[in-house]
Amino acid sequence: MTDQERDPWLADTHTVFNQPPALEGYNSYEQDPALSEGVAREGAAWAHDDLTRYGALTGQREIIALGFDANASKPEFHTHDRFGHRIDEVRFHPAYHQLMGMALENGLHSRPWTTPGEGAHVARAAKYYLHSQVEAAHCCPVTMTFAAMPSIRKQPELEAIWGPKVTAEAYDSRNVPDSQKQAVTIGMAMTEKQGGSDVRANSTRAYPTGSGGPGEAYELVGHKWFVSAPMCDAFLVLAHAPGGLSCFLMPRWRPDGTKNPWQIQRLKNKMGNVANASSEAELRGALGWMIGEEGRGVPTIIEMVSMTRFDCMIGSSAGMRQAAAQALHHCRHRSAFGATLQDQPLMQNVLADLSLESEAALTMTLRLARSMDHQDDEHERLLARLLTPVGKYWICKRTANYAYESMECIGGSGVMEDCIMPRLLRESPVNAIWEGSGNVQCLDTLRALQKSPDSLDAFFTEAAQARGADPRFDRFLARLQNDFADTSDVQFRARNLVDRLALTMQASLLLRHAPAAVSDAFCAGRLEGNDGLNIGNLPAGIDARAIIDRSTPVVG
Ligand SMILES: Cc1cc2nc3c(=O)[nH]c(=O)nc-3n(C[C@H](O)[C@H](O)[C@H](O)COP(=O)(O)OP(=O)(O)OC[C@H]3O[C@@H](n4cnc5c(N)ncnc54)[C@H](O)[C@@H]3O)c2cc1C
């Protein structure tokens, strides 16, 4: 007797079919040829085994679940303990701490500083790219800790105390003085209510407790409007000393073990970046030690900011890759109107275009990573100076629409919170806004051209290595070079110029390094007319199938 004969009310309404398996239990490194080829090309072939191990880890169901758990509830802020002592403690979901531990134990914040050399930044960028696809928000303190070292190194006596703990491959989340820890994390506090981009408008003051000057102690009084990851053990802070805007290292605790009077006012109520807390804070005579010269705060902290901008490129490239992987995977398994979605010509145009954009972003990011590994080479130094703002602007800005387009490939299920897409979409604008918003990156590009005109020569020398490979590229490059000769209204035109710098470099790199199907479609879709800047506008005749096959992750 069947169940239904036993109980006529037990109806078999449907069986589930035409749904994809979850994208988990796969190796996100091995299934990403653009990544593994880029790693080998840019000098980190030696990292292949470690990245293969990490790709297996970041593709695991349990690790992917940590990303969902860490975002399930917002961090909670506790001002005082039950006895009334001020504690300034933010409590996170345990999954946040697990992800932090995984990142720091794998040196995502430190390897290029502790083991520099050929491919160090490339290998670390690749690992960060895999890691950030699981969960992006907690990568904020990972990045800031990584990025702080070049600034801290400007003050050797502070580096001697803090350097070993900043770079230690361990995570200690306890709310205790740094003197009791072997591993610490670092944040940054620049932005104030009256000015974020324009930090010279900072009103926070720094008063020397003794003689003053580099490495000396000051008391900081003022407020900060955005301080992310406020449980970091110390922060790089900008404040006005008597000699001008200066940079300080401000720990959460004083050397005597008492709390530094640095008080969190409240947490920001963010639309995305949920797992990571961001705060507003007041400095009420908080002790900080000056890094670098008094009055040279911006050049000092810019060392940190350049690295965070680079990480924004990695993070947004990773966001694109994860979104594309989800879209490609879904369309490989889902059918409509008698054919799988990936075989429908119009969807092929969208999927191929998403794949191109993702590969172009990653390729440019890994090229910058190689520059970071060769800063003693003049060409690489000049190239990095321009490629950082150009890449940060372009890749981060392209990500928001990209996330939405990828979500649409999945249809209604892509909008549901048990899919990663809503998180990727909410996360997508953040990298474009913090660490210097879009216009600020364009203005920084112009500043680089003005202060170091050789950087434009280095950029075009690098790009011109693809000259002759495709006439569309040659024409695009020549037009752009010509347009730089005209300096009239250059600020008004800056976005257009920077857009085209980015496309030129991406096309050049793809022409030199990617399969012909990829570079041909990129030139066809991005360099001729403006239509190609919207996803799904690739002209007929490109090899969409080859592009889709290259970037589709295969599970099981
Ligand atoms: C989630 C999140 C976390 C953050 N965490 C931190 C943190 O940990 N530490 C920290 O210090 N800050 C942090 N910030 C602040 C962030 O860096 C600033 O919001 C950002 O630098 C922009 O500053 P602003 O908000 O004051 O905007 P504004 O400086 O007022 O800029 C507004 C707009 O004007 C544009 N603009 C500015 N100047 C010009 C110009 N001359 N010409 C043309 N356009 C211009 C900008 O590009 C921007 O689009 C965080 C922000 C967010 C959203």
Side-chain angles (χ1 to χ4, degrees), residues 349-350 353-354 357 398 401 405 525-526 530-538:
N349 198 326
V350 173
D353 214 349
L354 289 172
E357 188 78 27
R398 296 286 285 174
N401 186 50
E405 287 283 3
R526 303 287 191 275
N530 263 336
D531 298 346
L533 291 181
N534 287 326
I535 297 288
N537 270 269
L538 295 173

Side-chain angles (χ1 to χ4, degrees), residues 180-315:
Q180 297 176 27
K181 294 187 172 192
Q182 296 308 313
V184 297
T185 50
I186 307 286
M188 59 157 72
M190 297 189 293
T191 308
E192 298 185 4
K193 295 185 184 77
Q194 70 281 356
S197 309
D198 185 6
V199 290
R200 290 186 185 278
N202 272 196
S203 63
T204 299
R205 300 278 144 189
Y207 303 95
T209 59
S211 57
E216 297 299 322
Y218 287 68
E219 283 182 353
L220 310 180
V221 180
H223 80 280
K224 294 291 167 183
W225 182 231
F226 279 92
V227 184
S228 286
M231 294 307 286
C232 283
D233 298 283
F235 302 84
L236 262 55
V237 181
L238 283 182
H240 277 285
L245 192 63
S246 308
C247 180
F248 299 88
L249 182 86
M250 183 197 72
R252 297 185 74 234
W253 302 80
R254 287 173 176 246
D256 65 4
T258 59
K259 260 185 97 287
N260 212 1
W262 177 88
Q263 294 181 351
I264 301 171
Q265 300 301 299
R266 60 174 173 173
L267 295 189
K268 294 289 195 187
N269 189 9
K270 296 178 285 185
M271 70 161 257
N273 204 249
V274 170
N276 172 41
S278 301
S279 67
E280 296 165 17
E282 290 203 350
L283 297 82
R284 302 175 175 209
L287 264 185
W289 283 262
M290 186 179 278
I291 303 180
E293 297 293 316
E294 187 161 317
R296 302 279 298 159
V298 173
T300 302
I301 208 164
I302 208 75
E303 300 275 340
M304 177 174 187
V305 171
S306 295
M307 297 311 300
T308 61
R309 289 176 178 172
F310 169 52
D311 268 21
C312 288
M313 288 172 65
I314 311 173

Side-chain angles (χ1 to χ4, degrees), residues 11 29 55 58 128 137 159 204 211 264 307 318 465 474 478 486 503-504 524:
Y29 178 69
T58 50
Y128 185 108
E159 185 197 352
T204 299
S211 57
I264 301 171
M307 297 311 300
Q465 288 183 32
D474 293 352
D486 173 12
L503 287 170
T504 301

